[in-house]
Amino acid sequence: MEKKRVMVALGHRALGTTLPEQKKATKEAAKAIADLVEAGAKVAITHSNAPQVGMIHTAMNEFGKSHPNYTTAPMSVCSAMSQGYIGYDLQNAIRAELITRGIYKPVATVLTQVKVDPYDEAFYEPIKVIGRYLTEEEAEEEEKKGNFVVKEEKGYRRIVAAPKPMEIIEMDSIKALFDAGHVVIACGGGGIPVLEQGVDLRGASAVIEKDLVSGLMAKELNADVLMILTSVDQVSLNYRSANEKMIGAITVEEAKQYMEEDHFEQGSMLPKFEAAIDFLKDGENRMAVITSIPRAKAGYLEKSGTIIK
């Protein structure tokens, strides 16, 4: 019997924020991945990078300001750095957990670029806040550079676009590793957003929704299951209200209805449902699961979580 192909998307709670937190969190995430491998799945992984890329962006730009001989780092470079050091901790944690269980399976991280459309409307309506608080003068400097800023209670923050993913540049490499039986970590943080200019790829000042690129990667790998691991065991309607209701197994049509009724927040649960529906409509006998890390195996076995078919 052929193994099920499972695309796992790890949310930011699976990674922590600081370096020590990340070390601890990736060990817990590794247990969930190993559970899936033991259950007979072929696994590919994407992950969030929100706290990490913000930390890198702040550190690199503060360093550049303090040392005139060094330049500040663009968002694309910060994204690449976050992919590298998150992948390093995650692949080592998964490798160690698998070996502990007597399983030998190579684990690899692929530094991944994702092409976006330069005319995507998201570039005109940025929504992703990044980096530290700025003074009014610093905010004005950012705007002079053509960057967007937003005013918050504590000051100003840089804000960047979240365009939709169009193409995963390193997809052939990811497929080769996945088909060879490796656990593959790719498209970290949604991938490095790039714009195609002739034969060159130029980094875009943007971030890509991790869940959307997870859905795209799941389709490219012809996955059977898209598993989105987040902070809750099940999705709920009327979240944090007196009439909150948990969702178990639902159809694609029901999922669309809940989206139309505005049950899910943009940048939170909404992109998870968008990714799931897009994945399911392009193939038969597929399943999308939204659940927590400890419930990953139960979700895979259809015993827990919000399951969309």
Side-chain angles (χ1 to χ4, degrees):
M1 182 178 177
E2 188 176 353
K3 292 184 176 182
K4 281 192 175 181
R5 303 161 75 89
V6 181
M7 178 77 242
V8 177
L10 296 172
H12 73 271
R13 291 180 185 273
L15 302 171
T17 300
T18 65
L19 291 173
E21 284 179 0
Q22 181 171 299
K23 279 279 187 184
K24 181 179 178 181
T26 51
K27 288 182 180 179
E28 292 304 310
K31 291 177 184 177
I33 300 302
D35 285 344
L36 295 174
V37 173
E38 274 192 329
K42 292 178 67 174
V43 181
I45 304 163
T46 63
H47 59 78
S48 173
N49 72 341
Q52 290 83 356
V53 77
M55 178 177 64
I56 292 169
H57 183 266
T58 299
M60 294 300 293
N61 285 289
E62 291 303 304
F63 185 80
K65 287 179 183 178
S66 303
H67 299 79
N69 293 331
Y70 291 86
T71 59
T72 57
M75 278 300 301
S76 55
V77 172
C78 295
S79 179
M81 289 181 176
S82 72
Q83 280 192 25
Y85 97 83
I86 293 170
Y88 162 66
D89 276 348
L90 191 54
Q91 70 185 27
N92 283 344
I94 295 169
R95 175 183 178 274
E97 184 64 29
L98 290 172
I99 290 173
T100 299
R101 301 187 189 198
I103 301 169
Y104 176 73
K105 185 173 284 290
V107 186
T109 300
V110 178
L111 193 67
T112 317
Q113 302 173 95
V114 177
K115 189 169 77 172
V116 298
D117 183 355
Y119 302 106
D120 191 311
E121 291 184 3
F123 284 109
Y124 306 101
E125 296 180 7
I127 59 171
K128 291 288 185 178
V129 176
I130 190 81
R132 66 167 176 82
Y133 285 99
L134 306 170
T135 65
E136 187 173 356
E137 292 74 21
E138 288 173 326
E140 288 175 356
E141 284 298 315
E142 289 294 332
E143 288 182 327
K144 287 177 183 178
K145 296 175 189 175
N147 296 324
F148 291 90
V149 296
V150 62
K151 187 175 182 180
E152 296 185 345
E153 187 176 342
K154 296 181 180 179
Y156 296 84
R157 301 280 299 278
R158 174 90 183 274
I159 186 167
V160 298
K164 286 184 168 53
M166 293 176 60
E167 178 188 347
I168 299 169
I169 302 298
E170 287 76 22
M171 198 64 232
D172 286 345
S173 299
I174 295 166
K175 283 179 180 177
L177 290 167
F178 186 70
D179 289 341
H182 295 221
V183 175
V184 187
I185 303 163
C187 292
I192 305 163
V194 293
L195 303 169
E196 195 169 37
Q197 296 185 337
V199 297
D200 295 320
L201 296 171
R202 183 172 68 85
S205 183
V207 294
I208 299 170
E209 284 284 0
K210 169 263 303 174
D211 296 314
L212 297 184
V213 86
S214 300
L216 176 59
M217 187 167 148
K219 290 194 293 183
E220 291 288 338
L221 290 174
N222 193 26
D224 301 294
V225 181
L226 171 61
M227 179 168 288
I228 300 175
L229 300 182
T230 184
S231 58
V232 295
D233 294 342
Q234 283 183 303
V235 180
S236 64
L237 304 178
N238 309 309
Y239 184 55
R240 289 181 176 173
S241 68
N243 59 337
E244 184 174 5
K245 176 186 175 184
M246 297 297 174
I247 308 173
I250 60 173
T251 64
V252 171
E253 289 69 28
E254 287 173 317
K256 288 179 180 178
Q257 179 184 336
Y258 295 145
M259 287 172 60
E260 290 170 0
E261 293 172 352
D262 292 328
H263 280 285
F264 312 123
E265 290 185 14
Q266 185 179 20
S268 179
M269 196 56 71
L270 182 60
K272 294 172 175 52
F273 270 75
E274 289 175 337
I277 290 169
D278 188 53
F279 167 68
L280 293 169
K281 73 179 177 61
D282 280 355
E284 296 181 356
N285 301 316
R286 289 178 171 178
M287 175 176 73
V289 182
I290 304 173
T291 192
S292 62
I293 289 172
R295 300 274 186 169
K297 183 178 178 180
Y300 174 72
L301 298 174
E302 301 183 49
K303 295 179 180 179
S304 181
T306 296
I307 298 170
I308 311 171
K309 284 187 173 182

